Amino acid sequence: MFRIITHNKNKYEEMRKIIPELEMLDMKYPEIQADTIEEVIDFALDYLGDKIEGDFIIDDSGLFIHALNDFPGVYSAYVFKTIGNEGILRLMENEDRREATFKTVIGMRFAGKNFKFVGLCHGEIAREMRGKNGFGYDPIFIPEGYERTFAEMTTEEKNRISHRGKALRKVAAFLKRFGP
Ligand code: ITT
């Protein structure tokens, strides 16, 4: 058993397909305003490490759109809540440079120490929203080498190539080597 602390059930469902023994602990924690996801994770790991006994992981992810100077990036959660996918598509309306990168950093508290595991997925921003699966920005993100958005893929397909899938397989390898 290993705990993932998140407020986002969709994330948990994706992660459980890769590490079935994960258990979700639904808890909010402060996400500081910082320039990088890594800094957000470092702060959160120390904050939660003081409050919670034992080992756990957290996941902080963001969508970095190259033509928008990496916006929404570390502000992805706030931007999704405010302008959403419609707002992003509007910002990209007259833009032909559509490349974007999804990034996940998984922070792990293990035996009182902090570790980070990173996963990236390159792709592009679609011209319109497509698909019903997944969550967040999935309907507007087409991973490199595909025609479909993440929201048009099954969870298994998304996991195979996604930012979160890549980071989490590193976690699984770590646990296999050092875990209980
Ligand atoms: P936590 O409780 O785990 O922090 P959250 O939903 O706040 O959950 P993040 O801060 O990591 O998660 O996510 C930032 C935003 O990016 C948020 O709006 C998510 O919906 C979106 N997002 C994260 N991972 C995504 C993915 O794999 N596909 C599409 N959108 C994603």
Side-chain angles (χ1 to χ4, degrees):
M1 189 275 282
F2 212 91
R3 288 170 301 172
I4 160 80
I5 300 176
T6 179
H7 208 56
N8 185 329
K9 189 99 203 297
N10 294 295
K11 258 188 199 177
Y12 170 64
E13 292 302 336
E14 282 185 12
M15 295 172 105
R16 214 157 55 117
K17 290 226 153 79
I18 295 175
I19 304 182
E21 54 274 30
L22 273 185
E23 192 173 88
M24 175 169 165
L25 178 55
D26 189 344
M27 184 176 155
K28 275 227 168 239
Y29 54 85
E31 289 187 8
I32 56 159
Q33 197 174 323
D35 290 341
T36 63
I37 296 185
E38 282 82 353
E39 290 169 80
V40 176
I41 286 285
D42 284 337
F43 181 89
L45 281 175
D46 287 338
Y47 173 89
L48 288 167
D50 284 343
K51 292 217 166 346
I52 291 174
E53 290 284 324
D55 304 336
F56 59 84
I57 57 173
I58 52 178
D59 164 320
D60 195 34
S61 302
L63 177 64
F64 296 77
I65 302 177
H66 304 186
L68 303 179
N69 292 327
D70 284 347
F71 181 84
V74 287
Y75 308 108
S76 291
Y78 179 74
V79 169
F80 188 75
K81 257 186 281 167
T82 50
I83 64 170
N85 285 327
E86 293 86 354
I88 295 286
L89 288 177
R90 230 175 294 125
L91 288 174
M92 292 292 287
E93 222 159 42
N94 297 314
E95 184 57 69
D96 287 329
R97 286 169 50 228
R98 316 234 18 124
E99 302 85 43
T101 302
F102 254 126
K103 177 171 179 177
T104 289
V105 180
I106 295 181
M108 178 193 282
R109 189 84 167 177
F110 184 78
K113 292 198 185 70
N114 296 345
F115 300 88
K116 291 195 284 287
F117 304 84
V118 180
L120 298 177
C121 181
H122 299 296
E124 58 183 59
I125 302 301
R127 296 271 172 191
E128 71 285 305
M129 281 195 264
R130 293 202 316 256
K132 295 260 176 291
N133 302 333
F135 64 99
Y137 298 104
D138 281 345
I140 60 164
F141 185 82
I142 305 170
E144 203 165 54
Y146 291 78
E147 303 279 316
R148 286 171 296 149
T149 67
F150 269 157
E152 294 176 302
M153 297 182 177
T154 62
T155 306
E156 286 80 1
E157 275 180 296
K158 180 184 170 187
N159 273 345
R160 231 174 282 142
I161 53 176
S162 78
H163 43 302
R164 180 165 301 102
K166 287 176 187 163
L168 202 59
R169 280 189 290 276
K170 293 182 187 173
V171 170
F174 177 99
L175 289 176
K176 199 165 166 203
R177 179 133 189 233
F178 302 108

